Amino acid sequence: MSAVNAQVSASPAALLHHVRTGRARSRAELVAMTGASRNTISNRVDQLIAANLLAEGGRGWSTGGRPPTLLQFNSEAGCVLAVDLGVTSVDVAVTDLSARVLATAGHPIDIAEGPDAVLAEARRLGRRVLAEAGLDDADVRAVGVGVPGPVEFSTGRPSHPPIMPGWHDHPIPDAFSRWGAPVFVDNDVNVMALGELGVEGSDQDALVVKVGTGVGCGVVVGGRVYRGAQGSAGDIGHIHVVAAEGRSVLCRCGNTNCLEALAGGASLLRDALAAGLPVTSTRDVVDLAIRGDGPALELVREAGRTIGSVLAALVNFFNPHRIVITGGVAQAGLPLLSGIREAVYARAMPLAARTLDVSVSDAPELSGRVGAALMAIEGYLDDDSVREAITS
Amino acid sequence: MSAVNAQVSASPAALLHHVRTGRARSRAELVAMTGASRNTISNRVDQLIAANLLAEGGRGWSTGGRPPTLLQFNSEAGCVLAVDLGVTSVDVAVTDLSARVLATAGHPIDIAEGPDAVLAEARRLGRRVLAEAGLDDADVRAVGVGVPGPVEFSTGRPSHPPIMPGWHDHPIPDAFSRWGAPVFVDNDVNVMALGELGVEGSDQDALVVKVGTGVGCGVVVGGRVYRGAQGSAGDIGHIHVVAAEGRSVLCRCGNTNCLEALAGGASLLRDALAAGLPVTSTRDVVDLAIRGDGPALELVREAGRTIGSVLAALVNFFNPHRIVITGGVAQAGLPLLSGIREAVYARAMPLAARTLDVSVSDAPELSGRVGAALMAIEGYLDDDSVREAITS
């Protein structure tokens, strides 16, 4: 209700954003949208064109008078490197400035080998994808990195990450200094949230739930990642679950019946082994379910129900427009989604659930890379960088 | 991460907001804060002074050169009416533009009598408090109304409110047209959230939990009320609770073991009667607890534990800076707070709980009126109204 941000900004970066997200397609629309003068808009647009960030193309429809010249974001004005750091693999992509993947490569790692070895591998993959895409180091405008643990976003340093021994306080951005571009680092779940919401952004409130070895959640308020007081928002893996009577499962955090202990990938593997299924990894359980194996399907569906029981509470509290499920276990698709929907609709309030859209990611394996690219692009196209680009 | 709102607005309403909230105290500070030109700031400040919204007073400290003239918000440039509509009472206050209460009056009602009778009573109380404060109808700049049910904020109409029969879609603002001022209507819990956070606002993420007959929650993101997709965010009364084994309590919503069914004011009364306590209302149970009655204390504390078990999940998910407990049962104070804290610290993740501030409202009975006043003031001082005030 505060009035501070009621005006739509007309800074050069904001004008670029409006065009890039399709909210405005001409100088006239930018004038209408921001309330800034025709002169101001025209000068700034000219500067953005001179900096190669905007291009003019074609003519729009006119409602009388000369039809307007259409503006386009020049998504080929550079590229970004997107690094998706997992516990057992690192994937790197190079994308254009609309997050379109130009080349990608991955390699198995063990995150516990520590930052020096793992980040050297990420750099090597970075050079490889640039070469594959026919791009130079000088084309790189920014680097985005998603990591499986808490990160102090302003410095790009992991903060006591539980499953990344040796990484606490490591200055990840320094590892990418060869590209002379800004480096943005965030928790993988926040990064995936960006990837799932896509380049066009939106004003929606959404939850992006990653079901991997653990369970985490990216929280999106009005189209932006919400972080909370200590940056730990979305840490839903240790919410206490209403379990079947008598069931008590110890979690690695020391409490019992945490969501992660009952429905994460690790618990899925444990339950599958206990049921005598021929599996050695969570991926095996997911593959069995995809192939239609009855007991595996039931395990995945039950994990979905447990996750859904927590999401039902969060739907009442947060009233999101949509929930997207991603991560390794999300590759199981429908059985997981069915279990989640069943529990959400059983316990969420009708008003909040009425138009709620619950879906599984189209490409769970890509959302980390696309999200890291988007984070890098947004960071690169912020006010300061754009101001610098158009005045240099 | 988007750049759209990265600049601090220099609209007249925004300048007023910066002075009003103590973020800037002189023209020079406004220039530094917004990046706007000295000339622009000076012209707009002069307009705000001419419109009687800002006043000049005293001299600040100088770091060299002429000391700056200090600016002050003129909180006596008008008044607002604040209406706190409850299920069994209506309370009306008149406040100045800093939400300082000048006069207040209340009357018992039954919300089920319907909008005509109840709103007539609110109008009568409005005229009375204005007279008591020595103010005229023409001094009223805006009216704020909090109601115990869901509201479509843009129109001020209740939307299928479960405990307000006859109120669905009623145009509440029309009832206050005699004051010729804008009328803002919202759910009481959102209004209380504003009241608890105070006029100075903040950039904090917070939960304001109302424990009355039912249980609801105002959600504050970055100092603003967060509403969600359908405006039902914070509807935590029907979250499924992890109850003691074998316990199954039917809720009025048709589900079992909802938070409200186990820990709301109505359930407190039910459990007190079942325990043979000499009570006829929730207020009696609260009074017994305040007077130190053992069984009443234990009931209140247990309700606190149940509420805390849900808040622990929300702390993990939302990672707020603070939680404030308000509403009728909050008048019990410490025993309720102790139960809540016990459960929150037992189940919330250490990182999210580390610096979390959980407290009980200083004046639970006033937060509805102060919040309604703040809603009216913020609405009155938004961009459009201020632009109109300084150009007329």
Side-chain angles (χ1 to χ4, degrees), chain A residues 224-250:
Chain A
R224 290 156 181 246
V225 172
Y226 168 83
R227 296 169 194 282
Q230 274 82 34
S232 77
D235 196 355
I236 66 172
H238 301 277
I239 288 181
H240 194 189
V241 163
V242 182
E245 271 191 33
R247 186 150 200 226
S248 177
V249 177
L250 187 65

Side-chain angles (χ1 to χ4, degrees), chain A residues 8-378:
Chain A
V8 175
S9 170
S11 73
L15 300 183
L16 185 60
H17 183 83
H18 302 324
V19 174
R20 198 157 66 84
T21 53
R23 291 183 176 113
R25 291 159 308 162
S26 64
R27 287 173 173 82
E29 286 183 9
L30 288 169
V31 168
M33 196 170 175
T34 61
S37 77
R38 194 153 185 94
N39 228 357
T40 301
I41 295 294
S42 239
N43 285 340
R44 288 180 182 170
V45 165
D46 288 343
Q47 288 176 309
L48 289 165
I49 290 172
N52 203 25
L53 289 167
L54 282 186
E56 293 188 289
R59 293 261 172 205
W61 291 96
S62 168
T63 52
R66 198 163 67 102
T69 308
L70 294 182
L71 297 171
Q72 279 182 335
F73 172 55
N74 180 14
S75 62
E76 289 163 18
C79 69
V80 300
L81 284 174
V83 180
D84 180 9
L85 213 54
V87 175
T88 59
S89 62
V90 54
D91 289 286
V92 178
V94 56
T95 81
D96 69 10
L97 297 183
S98 64
R100 192 166 59 90
V101 174
L102 305 174
T104 186
H107 202 267
I109 52 130
D110 176 358
I111 196 95
E113 283 173 27
D116 290 341
V118 169
L119 293 173
E121 181 60 40
R123 271 196 306 273
R124 196 183 64 78
L125 293 170
R127 290 195 300 272
R128 189 168 125 197
V129 293
L130 282 170
E132 264 180 42
L135 292 163
D136 292 330
D137 284 354
D139 295 319
V140 177
R141 296 287 175 272
V143 180
V145 186
V147 304
V151 174
E152 191 182 67
F153 184 71
S154 57
T155 63
R157 291 165 184 255
S159 173
H160 299 284
I163 52 173
M164 299 172 69
W167 288 77
H168 171 63
D169 212 33
H170 187 85
I172 292 179
D174 293 357
F176 300 96
S177 58
R178 65 168 284 142
W179 284 292
V183 180
F184 304 90
V185 187
D186 202 355
N187 180 271
D188 58 354
V189 184
N190 290 343
V191 167
M192 283 179 169
L194 288 176
E196 289 300 332
L197 296 181
V199 67
E200 76 285 355
S202 86
D203 297 335
Q204 290 199 330
D205 307 316
L207 301 180
V208 175
V209 181
K210 179 193 174 192
V211 190
T213 305
V215 182
C217 177
V219 185
V220 177
V221 171
R224 290 156 181 246
V225 172
Y226 168 83
R227 296 169 194 282
Q230 274 82 34
S232 77
D235 196 355
I236 66 172
H238 301 277
I239 288 181
H240 194 189
V241 163
V242 182
E245 271 191 33
R247 186 150 200 226
S248 177
V249 177
L250 187 65
C251 182
R252 63 186 167 87
C253 78
N255 263 318
T256 56
N257 292 359
C258 293
L259 175 58
E260 199 164 293
L262 290 173
S267 82
L268 203 57
L269 174 60
R270 179 200 61 217
D271 291 350
L273 289 169
L277 298 189
V279 293
T280 60
S281 67
T282 302
R283 179 71 228 183
D284 290 344
V285 186
V286 170
D287 285 340
L288 272 183
I290 290 172
R291 292 205 299 273
D293 176 82
L297 279 172
E298 180 46 31
L299 284 175
V300 168
R301 191 175 174 119
E302 181 60 23
R305 284 191 201 101
T306 305
I307 293 164
S309 74
V310 166
L311 292 181
L314 299 181
V315 165
N316 285 359
F317 170 74
F318 187 68
N319 187 201
H321 294 86
R322 56 192 284 227
I323 297 179
V324 184
I325 315 295
T326 185
V329 179
Q331 295 180 13
L334 205 57
L336 183 74
L337 185 61
S338 304
I340 290 174
R341 283 185 170 154
E342 181 187 327
V344 167
Y345 291 114
R347 290 293 323 200
M349 293 294 284
L351 178 62
R354 196 173 50 185
T355 59
L356 175 68
D357 177 15
V358 187
S359 62
V360 160
S361 168
D362 292 331
E365 67 288 356
L366 260 185
S367 59
R369 269 164 283 174
V370 173
L374 284 169
M375 173 171 65
I377 293 163
E378 292 292 338

Side-chain angles (χ1 to χ4, degrees), chain B residues 57 60 148 221 228 262 267 275 290 384:
Chain B
V221 171
L262 290 173
S267 82
I290 290 171
D384 290 342

Side-chain angles (χ1 to χ4, degrees), chain B residues 57-94:
Chain B
R59 293 260 173 205
W61 291 98
S62 168
T63 52
R66 199 163 65 103
T69 307
L70 295 183
L71 296 171
Q72 280 182 332
F73 173 55
N74 180 15
S75 62
E76 289 163 18
C79 69
V80 299
L81 284 174
V83 180
D84 180 10
L85 214 55
V87 175
T88 58
S89 63
V90 52
D91 289 286
V92 178
V94 57

Side-chain angles (χ1 to χ4, degrees), chain A residues 1-14 17-18 23 150 153 159 184 186 194 205-207 217 219-222 224-236 238-243 245-247 253 255-258 312-321 346-349 351-356 374-375 378-379 381-383 387, chain B residues 1-14 17-18 23 150 153 159 184 186 194 205-207 217 219-222 224-236 238-243 245-247 253 255-258 312-321 346-349 351-356 374-375 378-379 381-383 387:
Chain A
M1 238 161 310
S2 157
V4 179
N5 286 316
Q7 287 191 325
V8 175
S9 170
S11 73
H17 183 83
H18 302 324
R23 291 183 176 113
F153 184 71
S159 173
F184 304 90
D186 202 355
L194 288 176
D205 307 316
L207 301 180
C217 177
V219 185
V220 177
V221 171
R224 290 156 181 246
V225 172
Y226 168 83
R227 296 169 194 282
Q230 274 82 34
S232 77
D235 196 355
I236 66 172
H238 301 277
I239 288 181
H240 194 189
V241 163
V242 182
E245 271 191 33
R247 186 150 200 226
C253 78
N255 263 318
T256 56
N257 292 359
C258 293
L314 299 181
V315 165
N316 285 359
F317 170 74
F318 187 68
N319 187 201
H321 294 86
R347 290 293 323 200
M349 293 294 284
L351 178 62
R354 196 173 50 185
T355 59
L356 175 68
L374 284 169
M375 173 171 65
E378 292 292 338
L381 296 179
D382 74 1
D383 269 280
R387 204 174 298 134
Chain B
M1 239 160 308
S2 157
V4 180
N5 286 316
Q7 287 190 325
V8 175
S9 170
S11 74
H17 183 83
H18 302 324
R23 290 184 179 114
F153 184 72
S159 172
F184 304 90
D186 202 356
L194 288 177
D205 308 315
L207 301 180
C217 178
V219 184
V220 178
V221 171
R224 290 155 182 246
V225 171
Y226 168 83
R227 296 170 194 280
Q230 274 81 35
S232 78
D235 196 355
I236 65 173
H238 301 277
I239 288 181
H240 193 190
V241 165
V242 182
E245 272 190 31
R247 188 153 198 220
C253 77
N255 263 319
T256 55
N257 291 359
C258 292
L314 299 181
V315 165
N316 285 358
F317 171 74
F318 187 67
N319 187 202
H321 293 87
R347 289 292 324 198
M349 293 294 285
L351 178 63
R354 196 173 50 187
T355 59
L356 175 68
L374 283 169
M375 172 171 65
E378 292 291 338
L381 295 179
D382 75 1
D383 268 279
R387 203 174 299 134

